[in-house]
Amino acid sequence: MALRRFIHIILNPAAGRRKRHLLDDVERLRAAGADVTIELTEAAGHATQLARAAARAGQADVIVAAGGDGTINEVARGLLGQGVPLGIVPLGTANVLAIEIGLPQRAEDVASMLLGGPAELIGTGLVQNEIFLMMAGIGFDGEIVHGIDPKLKRLWGKAAFIWSGLRTWMRGPAHDIRLVVDGREKRAAWAIVTNGRHYAGPFVLAPDADITHPGLTLLLFKKPSRFAFAVYLAALGLGIVQRLPSVEVLPARRIDVPGPEGLAVEVDGDDRGFLPQTIERGTQFLRMVVPG
């Protein structure tokens, strides 16, 4: 395919501490002859507005989200139903989507991908009719994300998640979560819905999932004790969560989660409110530039 000439970058100035990576990428893109435009986000949801406006203007060959998974999620929302593909430059704390697609680390490789990498169709999920790209967590991780002080997240990065996680675990990580999965009633102490293989960074949660194919995987963690949750986290680190007898894994199209009311939900690493909520397989695809 011909090289992409017009590259529009939407940058979250508050994301991460890796801005030097973006500057290196921009320098290499411009050195290759690309016309690079950069817009800064100003508040939550602004990236969606900027992405939608840039796509409708019809001048960009690719619209790049420069930020964490939350920023990428916002830009993706603005590109659903548009012809222009999404590119990513990960600047956030976990960068799960970047790991999922095998994004290269070197600036020259990232620039080469944005200029000429293939644009693949990827599946999406919906939480309350708003898309997610990687995962939604109900209960334990939702409470962790909800409990993080944004200032500490900017200062400490991943350590802020660890600190919030320890506090949540000490309080008691389990909840009596009620779900209706494609018409079947389920109960769990913790629930995760994933669209891809990875979770919280490099950890493999659903080895058979593939973001380029539509379909959600639901993991139900059944045991409520603190010890059981310690085992779950250890198994996640080892990539063997699905082997645990107290974890039920099933495909799902629609997941209604009525309660307990007020329990926190996280989506792609960002706070997304409280139960009750509905999670569904997305009906629209999104084009994303991936390594060739």
Side-chain angles (χ1 to χ4, degrees), residues 39 43 127 209:
E39 284 191 294
V127 177

Side-chain angles (χ1 to χ4, degrees), residues 70-193:
T71 302
I72 294 168
N73 179 293
E74 286 193 13
V75 173
R77 280 188 247 167
L79 297 182
L80 270 183
Q82 310 285 346
V84 61
L86 166 72
I88 65 172
V89 174
L91 304 177
T93 304
N95 301 314
V96 183
L97 183 59
I99 295 168
E100 183 75 16
I101 67 172
L103 193 77
Q105 295 292 315
R106 299 190 307 166
E108 56 265 40
D109 294 331
V110 173
S112 177
M113 182 195 74
L114 294 175
L115 287 167
E120 297 278 355
L121 290 173
I122 66 168
T124 61
L126 296 171
V127 177
Q128 297 296 95
N129 292 316
E130 292 189 350
I131 75 162
F132 66 91
L133 300 180
M134 287 302 303
M135 75 283 183
I138 305 160
F140 181 49
D141 52 351
E143 297 283 291
I144 290 172
V145 171
H146 182 72
I148 290 176
D149 184 328
K151 292 181 181 178
L152 290 183
K153 183 179 177 181
R154 286 194 293 270
L155 290 172
W156 294 2
K158 291 181 181 179
F161 285 85
I162 294 171
W163 174 242
S164 182
L166 286 172
R167 289 166 51 207
T168 303
W169 182 79
M170 288 297 295
R171 283 199 309 266
H175 298 273
D176 183 18
I177 302 171
R178 305 187 302 276
L179 310 95
V180 180
V181 184
D182 296 328
R184 296 170 292 170
E185 294 187 2
K186 298 284 183 178
R187 289 287 179 100
W190 177 25
I192 299 174
V193 184

